[in-house]
Amino acid sequence: MALWLYKLGRFSARRVWLVIASWVVIIGVVGGAAALFMGPTSNDFQLPGTQTQQMADKLKAELPEASGGTGTVVFTSSNGEAFTPAQEKAITAALKSVTTVPSVKGVIDPFLTTAQKADGAAQIADGEKQLAAGEAELAAQAPTLEAAANELASGKAQLDAAQAQIDAQKAQIAALPAGSPQAEAATAQIAAGQAQLDAQKAQWQGGQDQYTTGKAAFDAGQATLTEKKAELAVAQRTSDAAAKVLFVSENNKAAIGQIQFSESMNAVTPANRQLVQDKLNTLDSSGVSVAFSKEIVEDVSEVFGVAEVVGVAVAAAVLLIMLGTFVAAGLPLLMAIVGVGVGVGGTMALTTVVDMSSISPMLALMLGLAVGIDYSLFIVNRHRQQLLNGMEMRESIAKATGTSGNAVTFAGLTVVIALAALTVTGIPFLAVMGLAAAATVAISVLVALTLTPAMLSLMGTRVLSRKAWAKNAIATTKHNAELAGLNDAEKASADEAVDIARSTRGWGGLVTKHPVISLVTAVVALVIIAIPATGLRLALPDGGSEPVDSSAYQAYSITGENFGTGMNGPIIVVGSLPAGLDKNQANTLNLDVADKLREIDNVTAAVPVMMSEDLRTSVYQIIPTEGPASESTVQVIHDLREASSSLESDLKVSIGLTGQTAANVDVSEKLGAALPPYLAIVVGLSLLLLILVFRSILVPLLATVGFLLSLVAAFGGVVAVYQWGWLGGIFDVANPGAVLSFLPIILIGVLFGLAMDYQVFIASGMREAFAHGQDAKQAVRTGFKHAAPVVTAAAIIMISVFSGFIFSHLTMVRPLGFALAFGVLIDAFVVRMTIVPAAMYLLGKSAWWLPAWLEKILPDVDVEGAKLATLTDIPDNARELDEPLESAAVR
């Protein structure tokens, strides 16, 4: 590998303009593709296959009016007083104007909604009065009907008795001789009696008909009253259920409006979001202050912000101090910009065909800048040292690429492995994020190995300042005078003695003089720093995580103060109702379900809000007691899901959860479950790579244990600042809460890769000294002395770049920037520059032990460039090609 990279570096140094032109073409193609095909990014962290996504899909198919994004607008009076009638009318008019914005499906006006609730309550009260009056009227009619029924029954009995008497008389007459005077007289008398009885029967039937009509009217009235009573009961239960869901505060000083979009919030363009804000911001003239929720004001289209620029500026200052010339300091920055331009540009070009979260290009940018500067710096620094030692220009470039470039290649490979392994988590947005960052790091490695040698050749001797050249000339003259009269072997021995003497000084010398104390102190310190990590809680960011002066934070805090923090994170429950219900039955069942849901701990309100036309799908809104990222709300999510089985058995209704609050819990839990296998894969693959690089068992194990210490300490720092609020004023953490849910898995991948970077550069120097014949313990000091300055500078640069993201315009990037900056600080200065040299000094020669059978099968990748140490022959034609450029560079 070292020899191949040597040839690549030499080719790049000889074919300067070909290499530069190639990269210019690549940049042009990628930039054009990004300009033509760049689409919007989002903060959609839905996970396919989760219940949240299944319920969202169900709503989209069966109740489309309930799908789409929702944003909240919070109104307050500018003077802190209650709203005036004029202000209420102005808010209503402004909200109505928002419906003209593309993508806006409708609005919920807080004052109209409150008025409708009041009208509904009044109608219920009026209905109850009418019901009471009707019941009283029916109650008054009931005795009359009962008396009439009794009288009719008594009359019917008398008529029946009279008819029976007449029928008996007829039987008696039938026994008399036919035609006899007695029979004729009796027959006439019976006929007269029957006629009189029939008249009475007809009179009775009229009364019966009148009673039947009255009874029917009474029964109809009774049925109507029963129906109205049921309707009023449902209306009253509905009103009671919605009583705690307020849109205007009780003191009339704050109001919540909602904007309903026809598409998901991630699909709403920044232009339409801004148009919504513009239409509502006109309320300033009415003395109304407007604060928008995070969903409305969040604009993830901007990748680079002011804070990031400051971080890069600090890195540039470090480079200038280290390299001493603007030309040399600018080269690593230029290389990083080229790598980031190609990597992030390519990432953005794919946003039209790949769903990509906003943090994907941000992570690629963050890492591309950091590793791009560092990788180029390692090669530039090696080249400068070789030039000062008198090596020919292009030979120095080639050997720097073959040695430091070799370390860069394997260091970059560990980062790429760690990032690409995010695909095994089964989480789509993480896979895209990891691949985008891995591709950018890989491009940064290619830039360092090709464009950096070409630019070094073009720069010539200007890579060192005149002061550095002059100082080196004086030192060389003095050195030659001191070694005058000695042969080459004696000179090499004298130089090595001086080098060994110098290696006993400084931090490396101090650590190796007291290795046990250094090792124990460093480990104990990291364990103490890691203690807060035991309380790590994960969630996705909400409005409470935004900067205090932001509109999103104001909306979040005002809502919490006036309506309860639970209003910031409602939970959507989707119910599947049994078939065969009429509307009243479905409404009653929905209220029964809401009653059951309201019984769950830390649920403030549970309200049925919508039902499909076929009465089979219903939507309920749950308002938890606390905010969306709180522990109690997470528990509410679990309790609601556990309640599904009891609802199924008791009410024949199955439920599922959706909405952002439930989705956040799903994402956090799936990310937590993905951590152990991901860590095992990353560490396992990288251990194999490090065994290949260092040809040792203990050095890779030491590197991995050191990484784990760095990791838990970084977690401890993140929890202390972002969850506990320590130093919150410094890091702009106004509302401490749960840690970003995908921070741990990204931190593991990125920090492991970067930690192995420093391990490769520190340990390869030690390996190089050991391979060249030094005692194992002395090799630790020598390697540390040579690598420490550049690793220190590289770490400071990386910390500076990451620190710039601590104050990023994207809030979710901030804890990630802090975690990476703090993790690199600990890993570089405590683990790699304290624990590793102390442990390796104690291990001595055993640090480089490798089983004989493994030694035979491992290929020799020659990361320290031992094969290049004796490489001195340069083809004549190559020397001829070198001369013109070198002359031009010197001029």
Side-chain angles (χ1 to χ4, degrees), residues 307-370:
E308 291 87 342
V309 174
V310 173
V312 174
V314 173
V318 175
L319 284 171
L320 184 59
I321 293 170
M322 178 185 178
L323 301 178
T325 167
F326 283 103
V327 175
L331 180 58
L333 281 175
L334 177 62
M335 298 301 97
I337 291 171
V338 171
V340 164
V342 176
V344 177
T347 299
M348 298 305 292
L350 294 173
T351 51
T352 53
V353 294
V354 178
D355 291 331
M356 194 172 296
S357 65
S358 63
I359 202 171
S360 294
M362 287 298 293
L363 182 63
L365 172 67
M366 191 187 305
L367 288 179
L369 283 173

Side-chain angles (χ1 to χ4, degrees), residues 696-709:
S696 164
I697 298 295
L698 294 179
V699 172
L701 288 175
L702 176 62
T704 303
V705 172
F707 156 72
L708 294 176
L709 285 171

Side-chain angles (χ1 to χ4, degrees), residues 858-871:
L858 280 181
D860 186 5
V861 297
D862 190 22
V863 72
E864 67 275 0
K867 294 179 181 178
L868 301 180
T870 58
L871 188 59

Side-chain angles (χ1 to χ4, degrees), residues 1 42 73 176 211 235 253 305 341 413 425 470 510 513 549 827:
M1 178 65 79
S42 71
V73 186
L176 296 175
Y211 171 80
K253 292 183 178 182
L413 189 56
T425 62
L510 178 64
K513 284 178 183 176
D549 57 350
D827 193 83

